[in-house]
């Protein structure tokens, strides 16, 4: 009998990046409403794994399969909050327009949106705490406000999987706490994948942590303490 909760299956995947082996024989599964954290050193393969999951590159070996209600499908609806997104501060793009663009995936902007799309955008902006900024220009926002706007954009496609790359980069301590609690709530609606250098943040909210240093080591947070996880990573994987 199949697993009706399965969304993504990564099976024995290897991948090259800039003519070097970035990932080797990586396997993992992501289920509905699960929360996967991804950690590892710079250059260890975290970004390569995200690019593979988002379909931005193909593995050199192995397979990545997607499922919906237990049946194979070509792709899933994915919302993506990148680590860095640059905007031309001279281009008059409002927060509302940025959020609405999420309804199109990453295909760009269009001149008009439906009433339903605008209502959805404002509901999401209210949820992430930027509804009052809908007419503000993106170039005038603080780093934290911009992250909230980009999170709202990622949610516009009603994602089955929400992918976040270092979402707390521009947040102070209070805003970081808000983000983690917001992600806990979003987990009730979709699966979440979050990359972070902060093991404490990952341990606080995730079900599993994938530590990637070319190879993948998977930890279930219910079965290990934070100190055990830190010690194991330090002692066992520094020479992966």
């Amino acid at each position: 009998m199949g697993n009706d909760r399965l969304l993504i299956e990564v099976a024995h995947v290897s991948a090259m990046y800039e003519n070097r082996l970035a990932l080797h024989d990586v396997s993992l599964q992501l289920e509905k409403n699960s929360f996967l954290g991804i950690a590892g050193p710079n250059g260890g393969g975290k970004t390569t794994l995200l690019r593979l999951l988002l379909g931005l590159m193909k593995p050199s070996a192995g397979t990545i399969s997607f499922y919906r209600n237990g049946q194979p499908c070509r792709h899933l609806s994915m919302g993506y909050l990148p680590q860095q997104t640059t905007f031309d501060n001279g281009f008059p793009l409002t927060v509302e327009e940025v959020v609405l663009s999420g309804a199109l995936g990453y295909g760009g902007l269009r001149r008009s949106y439906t009433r339903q799309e605008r209502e959805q955008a404002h509901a999401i902006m209210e949820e992430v705490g930027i509804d009052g900024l809908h007419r503000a220009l993106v170039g005038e926002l603080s780093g934290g406000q911009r992250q909230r706007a980009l999170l709202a954009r990622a949610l516009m496609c009603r994602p089955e999987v929400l992918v976040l790359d270092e979402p707390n980069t521009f947040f102070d301590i209070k805003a970081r706490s808000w983000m983690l609690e917001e992600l806990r709530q979003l987990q009730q609606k979709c699966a979440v994948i979050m990359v972070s250098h902060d093991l404490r943040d990952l341990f606080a909210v995730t079900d599993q942590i994938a530590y990637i240093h070319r190879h993948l080591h998977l930890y279930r947070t219910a079965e290990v303490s934070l100190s055990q996880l830190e010690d194991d990573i330090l002692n066992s994987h520094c020479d992966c």
Side-chain angles (χ1 to χ4, degrees), residues 137-162:
L137 298 180
V138 176
E140 299 174 349
L141 301 181
S142 67
Q145 290 170 334
R146 185 173 297 189
Q147 285 294 83
R148 291 179 188 242
L150 293 175
L151 174 60
R153 179 176 71 172
L155 295 174
M156 273 296 293
C157 68
R158 293 189 171 93
E160 294 166 275
V161 182
L162 177 63

Short mmCIF file of all heavy atoms in Angstrom, two decimals, residues 137-162:
data_model
loop_
_atom_site.label_atom_id
_atom_site.label_comp_id
_atom_site.label_asym_id
_atom_site.label_seq_id
_atom_site.Cartn_x
_atom_site.Cartn_y
_atom_site.Cartn_z
N LEU A 137 6.80 51.45 -1.47
CA LEU A 137 7.72 50.95 -2.47
C LEU A 137 8.68 49.95 -1.83
O LEU A 137 9.18 50.19 -0.71
CB LEU A 137 8.51 52.09 -3.11
CG LEU A 137 7.68 53.15 -3.85
CD1 LEU A 137 8.59 54.22 -4.43
CD2 LEU A 137 6.85 52.50 -4.96
N VAL A 138 8.92 48.85 -2.52
CA VAL A 138 9.77 47.80 -1.96
C VAL A 138 11.16 48.34 -1.64
O VAL A 138 11.77 47.96 -0.64
CB VAL A 138 9.87 46.61 -2.94
CG1 VAL A 138 10.83 45.57 -2.42
CG2 VAL A 138 8.50 46.00 -3.15
N GLY A 139 11.67 49.25 -2.47
CA GLY A 139 13.00 49.79 -2.25
C GLY A 139 13.13 50.61 -0.98
O GLY A 139 14.25 50.89 -0.54
N GLU A 140 12.00 50.99 -0.38
CA GLU A 140 12.02 51.80 0.84
C GLU A 140 11.86 50.96 2.10
O GLU A 140 11.89 51.50 3.21
CB GLU A 140 10.90 52.84 0.77
CG GLU A 140 11.04 53.82 -0.40
CD GLU A 140 9.85 54.75 -0.51
OE1 GLU A 140 8.83 54.52 0.18
OE2 GLU A 140 9.93 55.72 -1.29
N LEU A 141 11.69 49.65 1.96
CA LEU A 141 11.47 48.79 3.11
C LEU A 141 12.76 48.46 3.84
O LEU A 141 13.84 48.45 3.25
CB LEU A 141 10.81 47.49 2.67
CG LEU A 141 9.45 47.56 1.97
CD1 LEU A 141 8.97 46.16 1.65
CD2 LEU A 141 8.42 48.30 2.82
N SER A 142 12.64 48.16 5.12
CA SER A 142 13.77 47.61 5.86
C SER A 142 13.98 46.16 5.42
O SER A 142 13.13 45.56 4.74
CB SER A 142 13.49 47.64 7.37
OG SER A 142 12.43 46.74 7.69
N GLY A 143 15.11 45.59 5.79
CA GLY A 143 15.39 44.21 5.42
C GLY A 143 14.34 43.25 5.94
O GLY A 143 13.90 42.34 5.24
N GLY A 144 13.91 43.44 7.19
CA GLY A 144 12.91 42.57 7.77
C GLY A 144 11.56 42.70 7.10
O GLY A 144 10.86 41.71 6.88
N GLN A 145 11.16 43.94 6.78
CA GLN A 145 9.89 44.16 6.07
C GLN A 145 9.92 43.51 4.69
O GLN A 145 8.94 42.94 4.24
CB GLN A 145 9.61 45.65 5.95
CG GLN A 145 9.26 46.33 7.26
CD GLN A 145 9.23 47.84 7.14
OE1 GLN A 145 9.90 48.43 6.28
NE2 GLN A 145 8.47 48.49 8.02
N ARG A 146 11.07 43.60 4.03
CA ARG A 146 11.19 43.00 2.71
C ARG A 146 11.06 41.48 2.80
O ARG A 146 10.43 40.85 1.95
CB ARG A 146 12.52 43.39 2.08
CG ARG A 146 12.68 42.91 0.65
CD ARG A 146 13.94 43.45 0.00
NE ARG A 146 13.91 44.90 -0.11
CZ ARG A 146 14.80 45.60 -0.80
NH1 ARG A 146 15.80 45.00 -1.41
NH2 ARG A 146 14.70 46.92 -0.88
N GLN A 147 11.63 40.87 3.84
CA GLN A 147 11.50 39.43 4.02
C GLN A 147 10.04 39.03 4.21
O GLN A 147 9.59 38.00 3.69
CB GLN A 147 12.33 38.96 5.22
CG GLN A 147 13.82 38.92 4.99
CD GLN A 147 14.23 37.88 3.97
OE1 GLN A 147 14.19 38.12 2.77
NE2 GLN A 147 14.62 36.72 4.44
N ARG A 148 9.30 39.83 4.95
CA ARG A 148 7.88 39.54 5.14
C ARG A 148 7.12 39.64 3.82
O ARG A 148 6.23 38.83 3.54
CB ARG A 148 7.27 40.49 6.17
CG ARG A 148 7.77 40.27 7.60
CD ARG A 148 7.15 41.27 8.55
NE ARG A 148 7.73 41.21 9.88
CZ ARG A 148 7.06 40.91 11.00
NH1 ARG A 148 5.78 40.59 10.93
NH2 ARG A 148 7.66 40.90 12.17
N ALA A 149 7.47 40.64 3.01
CA ALA A 149 6.83 40.79 1.70
C ALA A 149 7.14 39.59 0.80
O ALA A 149 6.26 39.09 0.09
CB ALA A 149 7.29 42.08 1.04
N LEU A 150 8.37 39.11 0.84
CA LEU A 150 8.76 37.97 0.01
C LEU A 150 8.12 36.69 0.52
O LEU A 150 7.79 35.79 -0.26
CB LEU A 150 10.28 37.85 -0.02
CG LEU A 150 11.00 38.99 -0.74
CD1 LEU A 150 12.51 38.85 -0.61
CD2 LEU A 150 10.60 39.04 -2.22
N LEU A 151 7.94 36.58 1.85
CA LEU A 151 7.21 35.42 2.38
C LEU A 151 5.78 35.45 1.89
O LEU A 151 5.23 34.42 1.49
CB LEU A 151 7.26 35.44 3.91
CG LEU A 151 6.42 34.36 4.61
CD1 LEU A 151 6.88 32.96 4.22
CD2 LEU A 151 6.47 34.54 6.14
N ALA A 152 5.15 36.64 1.92
CA ALA A 152 3.78 36.76 1.42
C ALA A 152 3.71 36.37 -0.05
O ALA A 152 2.76 35.69 -0.47
CB ALA A 152 3.28 38.20 1.63
N ARG A 153 4.68 36.79 -0.85
CA ARG A 153 4.69 36.40 -2.26
C ARG A 153 4.78 34.88 -2.41
O ARG A 153 4.09 34.28 -3.24
CB ARG A 153 5.88 37.05 -2.98
CG ARG A 153 5.96 36.66 -4.45
CD ARG A 153 7.06 37.36 -5.20
NE ARG A 153 8.39 36.90 -4.83
CZ ARG A 153 9.50 37.25 -5.46
NH1 ARG A 153 9.45 38.11 -6.47
NH2 ARG A 153 10.67 36.79 -5.07
N ALA A 154 5.62 34.24 -1.58
CA ALA A 154 5.77 32.79 -1.66
C ALA A 154 4.47 32.06 -1.32
O ALA A 154 4.22 30.95 -1.80
CB ALA A 154 6.89 32.33 -0.73
N LEU A 155 3.63 32.70 -0.49
CA LEU A 155 2.38 32.05 -0.07
C LEU A 155 1.24 32.27 -1.06
O LEU A 155 0.20 31.61 -0.95
CB LEU A 155 1.97 32.59 1.31
CG LEU A 155 2.91 32.24 2.46
CD1 LEU A 155 2.48 32.96 3.73
CD2 LEU A 155 2.97 30.74 2.68
N MET A 156 1.41 33.17 -2.02
CA MET A 156 0.33 33.48 -2.96
C MET A 156 -0.04 32.30 -3.84
O MET A 156 -1.18 32.20 -4.31
CB MET A 156 0.72 34.66 -3.84
CG MET A 156 0.38 36.02 -3.27
SD MET A 156 -1.41 36.29 -3.05
CE MET A 156 -1.99 36.32 -4.76
N CYS A 157 0.88 31.37 -4.10
CA CYS A 157 0.57 30.23 -4.97
C CYS A 157 -0.08 29.09 -4.21
O CYS A 157 -0.26 28.00 -4.76
CB CYS A 157 1.84 29.75 -5.67
SG CYS A 157 3.05 29.00 -4.57
N ARG A 158 -0.44 29.34 -2.92
CA ARG A 158 -1.00 28.30 -2.07
C ARG A 158 -0.13 27.04 -2.14
O ARG A 158 -0.56 25.97 -2.59
CB ARG A 158 -2.44 27.98 -2.47
CG ARG A 158 -3.43 29.11 -2.22
CD ARG A 158 -4.86 28.66 -2.44
NE ARG A 158 -5.82 29.64 -2.01
CZ ARG A 158 -6.35 30.58 -2.79
NH1 ARG A 158 -5.96 30.66 -4.05
NH2 ARG A 158 -7.23 31.43 -2.32
N PRO A 159 1.10 27.15 -1.67
CA PRO A 159 2.07 26.07 -1.89
C PRO A 159 1.73 24.79 -1.15
O PRO A 159 1.21 24.81 -0.03
CB PRO A 159 3.37 26.68 -1.37
CG PRO A 159 2.94 27.68 -0.35
CD PRO A 159 1.68 28.26 -0.90
N GLU A 160 2.05 23.68 -1.79
CA GLU A 160 2.04 22.39 -1.11
C GLU A 160 3.33 22.22 -0.31
O GLU A 160 3.36 21.51 0.68
CB GLU A 160 1.89 21.26 -2.13
CG GLU A 160 0.56 21.27 -2.85
CD GLU A 160 0.56 20.39 -4.08
OE1 GLU A 160 0.99 20.87 -5.16
OE2 GLU A 160 0.13 19.22 -3.96
N VAL A 161 4.39 22.87 -0.79
CA VAL A 161 5.68 22.87 -0.11
C VAL A 161 6.21 24.31 -0.08
O VAL A 161 6.28 24.96 -1.11
CB VAL A 161 6.71 21.96 -0.81
CG1 VAL A 161 8.03 21.96 -0.04
CG2 VAL A 161 6.17 20.54 -0.96
N LEU A 162 6.56 24.79 1.09
CA LEU A 162 7.15 26.12 1.25
C LEU A 162 8.63 25.95 1.52
O LEU A 162 9.02 25.26 2.47
CB LEU A 162 6.48 26.87 2.41
CG LEU A 162 7.02 28.26 2.74
CD1 LEU A 162 6.83 29.22 1.57
CD2 LEU A 162 6.36 28.81 4.00
#
